[in-house]
Amino acid sequence: YGNGTGYGGTSGYGFSYPECSEMYCWPTIYTETGELDWDAMMQAFQYTCATYDQGCPCDEQWEIQCDSYGYKTCVPKSEGCWDPFAITCDNETEHVCKDEWSAYCWDKSW
């Protein structure tokens, strides 16, 4: 399912969607081989609402739910969840630096 925030109403394509207080969800449709089925998604107007804590439902066969900057989102299982703090630096030449958002390598010569 996709993620976003919205106000509800009617699209230019003639379908209605709900008013969501936090985020709205739409189906992500896959082919039998796990590729995004763009044609099917353009015709599937089944919007629902979710909270940031709950997140949108994921496609159990092809997606996993990840935490991303305060809300839950669905990503392909083949990609996995991105961890901004999972970094490998060369300990001989680099320092590991962290802030509130991510980690990065910094050359020790600096």
Side-chain angles (χ1 to χ4, degrees):
Y1 275 73
N3 301 297
T5 57
Y7 301 102
T10 304
S11 76
Y13 297 102
F15 64 90
S16 297
Y17 51 97
E19 182 174 339
C20 300
S21 62
E22 292 190 24
M23 62 191 306
Y24 63 93
C25 309
W26 57 89
T28 302
I29 302 171
Y30 293 87
T31 65
E32 292 177 4
T33 60
E35 300 294 321
L36 291 174
D37 189 336
W38 292 103
D39 291 333
M41 285 192 301
M42 294 303 292
Q43 297 175 23
F45 301 114
Q46 302 164 354
Y47 293 91
T48 60
C49 298
T51 65
Y52 294 124
D53 291 335
Q54 173 192 25
C56 295
C58 299
D59 182 302
E60 291 183 14
Q61 183 178 2
W62 301 109
E63 298 175 325
I64 57 174
Q65 192 174 64
C66 301
D67 290 316
S68 178
Y69 299 104
Y71 65 97
K72 292 184 174 25
T73 186
C74 300
V75 298
K77 287 182 179 180
S78 61
E79 293 178 17
C81 297
W82 177 68
D83 181 354
F85 295 99
I87 189 165
T88 303
C89 299
D90 181 338
N91 291 331
E92 291 186 29
T93 61
E94 298 173 317
H95 294 287
V96 175
C97 300
K98 295 181 180 181
D99 59 21
E100 63 183 307
W101 304 108
S102 63
Y104 54 94
C105 300
W106 191 265
D107 194 299
K108 288 183 176 181
S109 65
W110 286 83

